[in-house]
Every structure is written in C-alpha cells, then in structure tokens.
Amino acid sequence: MTSRLDGPLKVTGRATYGADNNFPGMAHGYVVLSTIAHGEIEAMDVTAAKSAPGVLAVYSPFDPLALRAPTSSLLGETWVPMQDRNVAYYGQPIGFVVAETYEQARDAAMLVEVSYRALPALTSLRDGLATAEDAPPAMDGSPPSLSVLADGVESIEDALAASPVVVEATYATAGQNHAAMEPHSAVAVWDSGVLTVYSGTQGADLQAADVASALREEPASVHSVNPFVGGAFGGKGKTSIPTFLAAAAARALDRPVKTALSREQVFTATANRPATVQAISLGAERNGTLNAIRHDSWSATPMDRSFVEPTSHGTSREWYSTRNLAISQKMVPLNIPPTTFMRAPGEAPGSFALESAIDELAVALDLDPIELRQRNNSAAPPGRDLQWSSKHLDECFRVGAARFGWSERTPQGRTDGDWLVGLGTATAMFPAMRFPATVGITLHDDDTAEVATSGADPGTGLLTVLSLVGGESLDIAPEKVTPRLGDSSFPAGGMSGGSTATASAGSAIMVAAPRVIDDLLALASSPGAPFEGAEVSYADGRVLGGGASMTFGEVLHAVGRPSITATGSSAAGEEMTKHSFSSFGAQFCEVRVHRWTREVRVSRMLGVFDAGRIINAQAARSQIMGGMIWGVSAALHEGLETEANGRTANGDLASYLVPVNADIPDVDVHFVEHPDTLHNDLGARGLGEIGTVGMAAAVANAVHNATGIRVRHIPIMIEDLLPE
Ligand code: MOS
C-alpha cells in the first residue's frame, strides 16, 4: 500500500498543469463558439474585435489558421476548427481571438459579429430515433448487429416466444460531460524550430503526432509535455481544440500562446458521452436459466458520426450465458457537440439497461437477484469459444452478500421512520486489454533507477505503479526508482485509456528490466571491469560473482559509465487467441427514499472486484471508489440538458450536477485477488473503469426495492418517484 507519489505536489498546488506554464511575451487566445446548432456562417464582422485593446489577431473561417484534421489508428480522425463555414452544433468553435491578455482576448471575442444562414436542427435523441442508421463496426471489428442462435432456432423472436418468462423494457441514459477539474487548455511555444505544447492529454506521444500532422510539421519538431493531468476520463484522449489553436497561433504570431476553455466552453468545444436508448428482451426458463437475450441500442451521435456509445457490444454480448443472443447497435446523428469515450464507454450506460432488466427478471421469477445472476454465470462469452482466463464473479457476489448483509433484504424493502429503505445489486464487467507501450529503464551510478514512458497519469496512479513495478522488477526499493511520465520525448507509452495502463506499462517494465540487468552483468564482467571473466548474477540491486558483490551503482562507477538504459515493449499478443479477458465485480447499494419528499439518499455502498493482482491497494481502492461514485452520479445527478435550439442548458458545474461529499456515504471496496498471469506476466487486469459499471443499475434496483417504482432512465428524478 503506497501513497501516490504525486499526491503532495497536487494537494499543495505545486504540480504544474498545462496552463500553469508561462513564458515571456506570451499571448492569450480565446475561442469563439457558434450560437446556432445547424447552418452556415455567411459572414463574420471582426472589425471591432480587431481594433479592441491588445488584440493581435482574429482568426475565422474567412481568415483561418492553417490546420488539417489528423488521423490516428486508435481514435480515428480529429476535427479541427475554421476549415469551412459549416456549423453542425451549438457551441462549435468557429473563431479564435489572440490578445496580450486573457481578458482582452475574451472581451474582443464578444465583439465578433456572426451572421448565419440557419438550417433546421435535429437535437433530440427521441426525435431522431426514426432516422437511426446502423452503427459502424465496433472497435474489435464486429458488425453492428450480431446474433447467436441455438441449433434449430430460426430467430431471436422465436427464442423469446418459446421462453416461459419474458421481460421486455426500454431504458434511457442521459448524455454526460467528463467534467474534469482541469479544463482543456494549452500553452504552445516555438523555440529554434521545435514546438513544445504543454497540455493535459492521455498520451503525450499521440498528442505530439496529432499536432505535427495538423500543422504539417515533421513529427520530430513537436514536443508534447503533460507531467500532470487534472482528470481526463476519456475526454483528453483526442487532442483538444485549444492545443491545435495555440500551436497554430504560436507559429503564425511567432509568440508563445496560451489558451484555456472556460468551464461552459468545455461542455461543447470538447466532447461528451452520448445519450442512449436501449430496448432489452430477456427470455428465461422458470428456474431462471436465460434462454434468449435481445439488446437493441441507439446512441446519439454528432453529425460527423465520429463516435457511437457501444452499449450493446459492451454488455449483452459478454455477460451472461445464453443459448440465443441478438444485439444491434444504431446511431442517431444529431446536431449536438462531439461525443467520445467516457469512463467505461459502452459498459457504463449498457450495464444500467442490462442489469436493470436482470433485476426485473428476478422480480418476475420471484428469485433472488444474486441467485439469478449466478445461475447464468458465463464460462465464456456467448458464441465465442474462448473461456475467461480467470473469473471469480461468484466469489465477488458471495463475499459481497456476506459483507453487505444481503440476506436481510426482503423483496418489498423495509421502512425506517419516514424512509423507505431498499437494497440493490448489479454485476460489473469491463474487458481487460493491453495497448502497445514502450518503457525505458535507466540505472544510474548513484544506485537509483528511472522508469520512463510517455504515457499519462490522469489521476489513475500510473506514476506510482511505475515505481512499484520498477522496484520489483529491478529487485530494489521502490523509493530508489524515479518514475517519469507525460513527455513525448520518453519511449512511446501510447494511451492511458481503456483501463490498460498498468497492464501495458507494467508488462513493458517486466521486459525492459531483465534487459538492463543483462547489460549491467555484461558490463560488470567485461575486460577491465570489477568482475572481469567471472560468472555473475544479480540480486537485490547488486552484482554477485566470485564471492564478491557490488551495487549496480558501484559497478557503473567502476567502469566509468554514469548510467545505462534499456527499453522494453509490450502489446497484447498471442494470449488474445487463447482466452477471453475481463475484470469482474459485484456492486451493492442501499438507498433511502423519503416517504414525503421522495428524495433518494444512498446510505451504503459496497463493491467487490476481481481484477487480478492488485499492484497498489490504496490507489486501486481509490480508483474503484471514484468509479462507484460516478455510478451514483449517473443514477441520481448527471445529465446534459439540450434546449430545442441545441444550446446546452446546463453547461456549468452549478447546474450540471455531480455528487458532493454529502451525497456519498462511506464506500466499501473489496478485492478478491487472483493474479491473472494468462493475461500478462504481472497478473494485473484493468480496474480504472469497472468501478462505475453496474452501480447506476444497483441504485435503480435499490430504488425499486424501496419503493416498488421501476425507473427505466437515468438520472432518476424526484418526480419519477411520486406515488401513484
Ligand atoms: Mo478511458 S474512457 O478509455 O479514457
């Protein structure tokens, strides 16, 4: 259990985030946003803005910064502003004002006059359902619609019709904003032909490549720096608008440029989690055995169709053993701000629908919801031959039920004075993946080591993981290991996303460490070295041979080498052809609904998780706890509201609700620890995102247990719980 190494810097304000960087002669940029949801910009009058105090430049589609949309294999194309006059959503970046100070830039931006030719806008998911389109293939390449049918079964409809008990319902989840504490921002500085961008991102090397491509510069001439990231959650996966604009303006003006979005701008000028509608049908035998699952999903999508929330693929396809399965994933193009990955994309909203439906089936069968889940536990994803590498979901439920006092639950809940009290549960799953990552390990002659990779620690604890796994792999104390992250000049670490970073970077460390130790031993026994010609070995940070031993620092010192470095890479490989990989969890929640005011209070929460080996118990608990709180937030607080004209009605942290301390009780987090060495040598599977999966359903299921009212959309509002 190790406190995170960057904790003291962060809580004392000494951690330097992107916008904390300042340079002599730095100018400030302010982004201008559209005020219609669909149409064309006919004209922009920038005369007054250009002559306002301190203004250096006003860029617009009529006088744009030269940018081209970069493409990455992982995230696809990233849109860049001002390259045409089209407006596809309210709050779209359409201009950029640069001035001597932030206030001057902001004031001048207010003087820009835009004339539009407005076109009809489609902004409501419900209105758009009729014009839904098939989604593109999921990230794993599978088509939007899939079905797996038992021999002799003609269709999913037949399978459902043949099921003695059927539950059918439609669920909806609201759009969400990542609401990271650090708004998207950038400082860009050109120096001797090299551009350095300081900007929070989930992957410094990816951001550097994006900026180089957008500016048509050589990759080597762009350097991206982000040692600290003030929250990301998927919202800093793609390079953000401020980064492109600051970089291009710094080049055009030959001055350092800083730009930061206001909180309100973050809601439209970055990207959100889309709203979804999901229809689920479950067919079961009377004993609870699932015979058929049908899950049809609709995801709001921006007009460029760049991101679909993969709810059907994420949940029904994997979670339960069933002979018959049919899923479909549709997208509904709307005039809404961009959408993107947000913590547990697919699984978070998908699990609300599926795990609510399973609870409804338990009610219909008069069966305990945990018993129903255990009867349908899958040994492998339906329709695939590959068994789970390691699955201890049953143990999660068993341990959780005992810890939570599940046996005291009654199907009708209970009352406590004026409070209606209910318990709910849900399954959590999130696929365990690895992305390619390279890590460099350096041994220094002062007996310290460095572990460096360009990836990011957006609050997940990766920095601390590097020192822990580095120390373990080098057989030295973690305090002797300096971890380095967030700089594109380090070995390419790729994306901190998809709950992959510990497994990806950790595996790469386990490749790099033996290499640097081999290099050390070769050096130690080379001609003229202290162990010349001896049989040498390495343990405990020391070279051993011929009855003598020296620390690695002493060896390096003796041979006159201040340091030696080796790199190691790791990517998901052959293991993916042998097993299916997922983390698992059981979520529990107790809610109290007030008899008269109908307010919902979460009074107890427990999550029990199977994520393989736990590297740092403290950080793991924090990750999961944060995710569970996200689940409560999705269930009871968060939801983007769009006005008919496409304006985001609650784009600020006063009206876009997230829970505060008073909304959250003690959170109990427990791990059943079974190292998964089939997944990687470290034995660790991801746990960044699974904490939020299932929790919203557990809350809704608890609300049903307390009140008898089934709410099939989130967030759940007081008006949803008015008695009949
Ligand atoms: Mo996460 S939504 O994969 O950054």
Side-chain angles (χ1 to χ4, degrees):
M1 184 147 125
T2 303
S3 293
R4 57 181 66 206
L5 302 175
D6 47 349
L9 286 174
K10 285 180 171 173
V11 297
T12 58
R14 286 177 293 142
T16 309
Y17 294 88
D20 292 333
N21 291 282
N22 293 298
F23 293 92
M26 189 171 74
H28 296 261
Y30 194 89
V31 182
V32 179
L33 303 181
S34 70
T35 54
I36 64 165
H38 186 203
E40 196 181 0
I41 301 168
E42 281 183 333
M44 274 172 85
D45 183 351
V46 298
T47 324
K50 273 192 166 163
S51 55
V55 170
L56 299 166
V58 180
Y59 301 102
S60 73
F62 303 94
D63 181 12
L65 285 160
L67 288 167
R68 100 179 136 179
T71 303
S72 88
S73 55
L74 193 62
L75 298 175
E77 187 176 281
T78 300
W79 180 84
V80 290
M82 295 189 285
Q83 306 308 302
D84 59 41
R85 294 185 288 125
N86 297 330
V87 173
Y89 57 94
Y90 197 115
Q92 173 184 317
I94 55 170
F96 191 54
V97 179
V98 186
E100 296 290 346
T101 70
Y102 173 78
E103 290 76 11
Q104 288 172 335
R106 184 187 56 192
D107 290 356
M110 305 302 152
L111 302 174
V112 174
E113 294 284 346
V114 187
S115 347
Y116 300 96
R117 188 172 68 84
L119 295 167
L122 184 59
T123 58
S124 143
L125 175 55
R126 295 235 163 238
D127 293 349
L129 289 176
T131 53
E133 304 170 9
D134 277 347
M139 274 187 91
D140 67 0
S142 52
S145 297
L146 277 174
S147 72
V148 176
L149 298 173
D151 284 347
V153 176
E154 293 284 311
S155 69
I156 194 71
E157 289 80 6
D158 288 355
L160 286 163
S163 303
V165 182
V166 175
V167 161
E168 287 187 306
T170 299
Y171 303 86
T173 65
Q176 296 179 315
N177 181 263
H178 307 77
M181 289 216 313
E182 179 198 28
H184 298 63
S185 54
V187 174
V189 188
W190 287 84
D191 188 11
S192 319
V194 173
L195 166 67
T196 303
V197 289
Y198 301 86
S199 176
T201 169
Q202 289 171 240
D205 56 323
L206 306 174
Q207 175 160 270
D210 272 358
V211 171
S213 169
L215 269 57
R216 297 172 198 267
E217 295 282 344
E218 290 301 314
S221 56
V222 179
H223 180 202
S224 164
V225 180
N226 61 306
F228 302 100
V229 183
F233 317 118
K236 288 173 185 153
K238 284 194 166 194
T239 299
S240 65
I241 300 296
T243 308
F244 292 123
L245 292 176
R251 180 171 66 179
L253 299 170
D254 198 19
R255 289 177 65 163
V257 173
K258 175 188 288 193
T259 186
L261 297 178
S262 68
R263 176 58 63 183
E264 186 173 4
Q265 290 179 329
V266 168
F267 279 81
T268 67
T270 67
N272 300 307
R273 189 202 295 277
T276 74
V277 172
Q278 303 173 57
I280 294 194
S281 305
L282 302 176
E285 307 295 334
R286 296 217 180 272
N287 69 4
T289 305
L290 280 167
N291 179 45
I293 300 178
R294 176 177 180 158
H295 188 174
D296 298 313
S297 291
W298 291 261
S299 164
T301 272
M303 277 299 173
D304 68 3
R305 297 158 171 75
S306 53
F307 179 81
V308 174
E309 184 84 18
T311 34
S312 290
H313 282 91
T315 51
S316 294
R317 188 158 175 216
E318 309 254 302
W319 288 36
Y320 293 105
S321 165
T322 181
R323 291 185 294 278
N324 303 287
L325 169 73
I327 61 170
S328 76
Q329 182 70 58
K330 291 212 160 35
M331 61 178 170
V332 180
L334 299 174
N335 294 107
I336 54 168
T339 57
T340 194
F341 305 91
M342 180 165 151
R343 204 171 193 171
E347 278 77 5
S351 64
F352 167 69
L354 181 65
E355 291 300 285
S356 293
I358 291 284
D359 201 69
E360 297 204 45
L361 180 61
V363 172
L365 292 165
D366 196 19
L367 199 61
D368 180 275
I370 293 178
E371 179 63 30
L372 174 61
R373 287 178 172 87
Q374 292 186 326
R375 286 187 192 176
N376 293 287
N377 197 4
S378 67
R384 286 189 231 180
D385 298 333
L386 302 181
Q387 304 239 318
W388 302 113
S389 58
S390 171
K391 180 178 185 182
H392 300 274
L393 180 59
D394 274 353
E395 185 181 344
C396 293
F397 272 113
R398 212 164 45 240
V399 169
R403 262 176 111 86
F404 205 65
W406 185 257
S407 61
E408 283 156 42
R409 175 183 183 273
T410 71
Q412 289 76 36
R414 65 181 174 91
T415 56
D416 178 11
D418 276 338
W419 294 92
L420 314 175
V421 185
L423 302 187
T425 189
T427 299
M429 280 178 67
F430 194 80
M433 303 177 282
R434 286 193 293 152
F435 291 155
T438 302
V439 165
I441 300 186
T442 302
L443 301 179
H444 291 291
D445 66 0
D446 64 355
D447 283 317
T448 63
E450 236 173 84
V451 175
T453 180
S454 69
D457 184 338
T460 53
L462 181 62
L463 191 75
T464 312
V465 164
L466 294 187
S467 77
L468 291 174
V469 179
E472 181 178 301
S473 302
L474 295 169
D475 203 9
I476 59 177
E479 300 77 50
K480 294 269 189 191
V481 180
T482 307
R484 296 202 188 282
L485 275 176
D487 189 316
S488 62
S489 65
F490 296 154
M495 167 78 56
S496 276
S499 302
T500 59
T502 293
S504 307
S507 303
I509 291 172
M510 293 179 77
V511 174
R515 283 193 187 153
V516 79
I517 290 169
D518 281 352
D519 292 351
L520 172 75
L521 293 177
L523 206 54
S525 55
S526 62
F531 295 89
E532 179 174 350
E535 279 283 312
V536 283
S537 61
Y538 177 91
D540 209 14
R542 303 180 76 85
V543 176
L544 319 165
S549 90
M550 287 171 87
T551 67
F552 67 75
E554 288 166 348
V555 171
L556 292 175
H557 203 70
V559 299
R561 290 279 294 270
S563 66
I564 54 171
T565 299
T567 60
S569 298
S570 156
E574 221 190 327
E575 83 268 12
M576 302 307 285
T577 64
K578 296 185 176 152
H579 289 93
S580 298
F581 298 97
S582 181
S583 289
F584 303 93
Q587 303 274 27
F588 294 85
C589 158
E590 179 188 79
V591 302
R592 302 165 79 83
V593 181
H594 196 271
R595 185 191 303 279
W596 305 114
T597 68
R598 312 309 279 183
E599 68 197 280
V600 182
R601 297 280 167 195
V602 174
S603 44
R604 289 195 296 133
M605 294 163 72
L606 164 68
V608 182
F609 291 87
D610 164 24
R613 181 183 161 204
I614 302 302
I615 304 298
N616 183 1
Q618 180 173 306
R621 177 177 178 276
S622 297
Q623 273 298 294
I624 291 289
M625 179 167 63
M628 291 167 67
I629 293 168
W630 269 54
V632 172
S633 187
L636 299 177
H637 302 266
E638 283 183 67
L640 290 170
E641 301 279 356
T642 307
E643 294 173 0
N645 69 356
R647 179 180 169 273
T648 300
N650 59 345
D652 58 69
L653 293 183
S655 36
Y656 181 80
L657 301 182
V658 293
V660 297
N661 285 353
D663 295 308
I664 303 295
D666 274 350
V667 181
D668 189 10
V669 177
H670 187 77
F671 295 101
V672 296
E673 218 180 316
H674 300 279
D676 188 350
T677 48
L678 294 173
H679 187 237
N680 60 72
D681 289 340
L682 197 60
R685 291 195 305 255
L687 53 73
E689 295 171 87
I690 190 172
T692 193
V693 181
M695 189 39 93
V699 173
N701 295 342
V703 166
H704 178 266
N705 185 235
T707 63
I709 299 174
R710 177 68 63 181
V711 184
R712 297 191 179 91
H713 59 255
I714 48 173
I716 297 169
M717 306 288 209
I718 283 175
E719 52 268 39
D720 298 322
L721 299 176
L722 300 179
E724 296 285 298

